[in-house]
Amino acid sequence: MPELPEVETTVRGLAPVLEGQVIERIILRRQDLRRPFPPDLGQRLTGARVTKLGRRAKYGLIDTDRGDTLVFHLGMSGRWRIDPAEPLPHDHVLVETAAHRLALNDPRRFGSLDLVRTESLSQWPAFAAMGPEPLGSDFNAALLADAFRGRTAPVKALLLDQRIVAGLGNIYVCEALHLAGIAPGRAAGRIALPRLERLVAAVRTVLVAAIAAGGSTLRDYARPDGELGYFAKEWRVYGREGQSCACGAPVRRRTENGRSTFWCSVCQR
Ligand code: ZN
C-alpha cells in the first residue's frame, strides 16, 4: 500500500512532467474509484495549466491556473504510469499534455480523485482536522507531549491518528518506534520528553530514507511503462517476524484489527 514516501516520490516524479504543461485531454475510462469522480472533472481540467505539484499526508496535489487543485489518493494499489506503451486494463484515467500521457492505474480501486478550490484546500473535509506533516517543523516533541498527555492508549495507535500527525502508516510507525527504541504498546502518556525527541527524529529518519530510496528509482521514470512510487526496501522489523533484529533477538509480531505490529522486545521498551 502506498504510504507517505511513495506519494512523495510519485509527486516528485510527476512534477517535471506536469508543471507548466497544459492538460489537453482527460479520458475517464470509468466514472469512479472509491467514490464517483466530480462530474465536471474533465471540463474544469481540460485546457488548464498545471502550476505546481505538492503533497498533504498521503494525498498528491496538482494545482492549476484555474484555482482548482486535483487531489489524488493512491488507495491500496494506485500508481501513475508515465508514457505507457499501451494502456493496461486498470488504467482508469488518462491525462494528456502536448508532450506526455499519464495513466492512473488502480486495480483495487480504493484510490480517489477530487477537485478542490486551491484557496479552500485546508478546509477540505479530509484535511480540516489533520495534524501537521511529519517532515515539517510543526511536528516536534512538544506537540507529541501535548497530544499524549494523560493518554493510556498505545503510542503506536496515537502515531497512526491522523489528527495528531498526518500521513503516517503502519510500516513507518513500526520502523520509527524500533529506531527510537520505544515499545509500540507503551502508554503514550508515559513517555518522557527526551524519548519523544528521539521518536520525532526517528520518524523523520525513516521517512527521509524511504523517499531517498524511491528517488533513486526515479531515474527510470521515463522508460516505457515507467511506474512511479514503488521500490524495494529493507525494513528493520516490518514484515520480519521470526528473523533476527540487529540485536540478535527474533522480531515479534502481533495482529490487532487486521493490522500487524512488528517489534523487538529487547531493543524496544
Ligand atoms: Zn532488537
Side-chain angles (χ1 to χ4, degrees), residues 178 245-249 264 266-267:
H178 183 266
C245 171
C247 74
C264 173
V266 174
C267 293

Side-chain angles (χ1 to χ4, degrees), residues 72-84:
F72 68 85
H73 194 286
L74 297 173
M76 309 278 287
S77 60
R79 63 193 191 278
W80 285 96
R81 306 188 322 124
I82 299 177
D83 296 331

Side-chain angles (χ1 to χ4, degrees), residues 11-230:
V11 164
R12 291 185 190 185
L14 290 175
V17 175
L18 277 179
E19 279 179 355
Q21 301 300 308
V22 172
I23 296 172
E24 296 193 338
R25 198 153 75 117
I26 297 248
I27 301 166
L28 304 176
R29 299 175 76 199
R30 53 181 301 120
Q31 295 305 314
D32 62 354
L33 287 173
R34 162 178 283 201
R35 55 178 176 269
F37 297 139
D40 53 355
L41 185 82
Q43 184 193 341
R44 278 163 70 184
L45 288 180
T46 303
R49 186 178 296 276
V50 174
T51 52
K52 188 160 71 74
L53 269 80
R55 179 189 56 74
R56 175 73 168 122
K58 292 186 225 178
Y59 292 84
L61 309 174
I62 302 175
D63 291 354
T64 74
D65 62 356
R66 291 182 181 167
D68 289 318
T69 297
L70 179 64
V71 182
F72 68 85
H73 194 286
L74 297 173
M76 309 278 287
S77 60
R79 63 193 191 278
W80 285 96
R81 306 188 322 124
I82 299 177
D83 296 331
E86 55 190 73
L88 291 175
H90 300 290
D91 286 348
H92 303 306
V93 177
L94 303 175
V95 178
E96 294 178 354
T97 66
H100 293 283
R101 167 183 268 206
L102 308 179
L104 178 59
N105 185 280
D106 188 357
R108 297 184 65 184
R109 304 205 306 261
F110 280 99
S112 61
L113 280 184
D114 291 283
L115 213 42
V116 182
R117 294 299 290 171
T118 308
E119 63 191 9
S120 50
L121 259 185
S122 62
Q123 288 96 52
W124 191 53
F127 294 161
M130 212 175 242
E133 287 290 316
L135 292 173
S137 58
D138 290 344
F139 176 62
N140 52 50
L143 173 118
L144 285 185
D146 274 349
F148 289 178
R149 187 166 293 122
R151 304 285 300 269
T152 56
V155 59
K156 185 188 172 211
L158 295 194
L159 287 176
L160 289 170
D161 183 339
Q162 304 294 301
R163 295 167 296 185
I164 295 176
V165 54
L168 291 187
N170 196 37
I171 296 175
Y172 293 97
V173 167
C174 288
E175 293 291 295
L177 285 168
H178 183 266
L179 182 57
I182 297 172
R186 174 158 294 277
R190 299 213 182 140
I191 302 172
L193 195 62
R195 300 188 78 206
L196 293 180
E197 284 166 356
R198 286 226 299 275
L199 179 55
V200 166
V203 166
R204 293 215 175 95
T205 297
V206 298
L207 292 177
V208 167
I211 292 166
S216 67
T217 70
L218 277 185
R219 289 184 209 109
D220 296 333
Y221 82 87
R223 75 179 196 268
D225 290 324
E227 293 178 6
L228 297 178
Y230 291 84

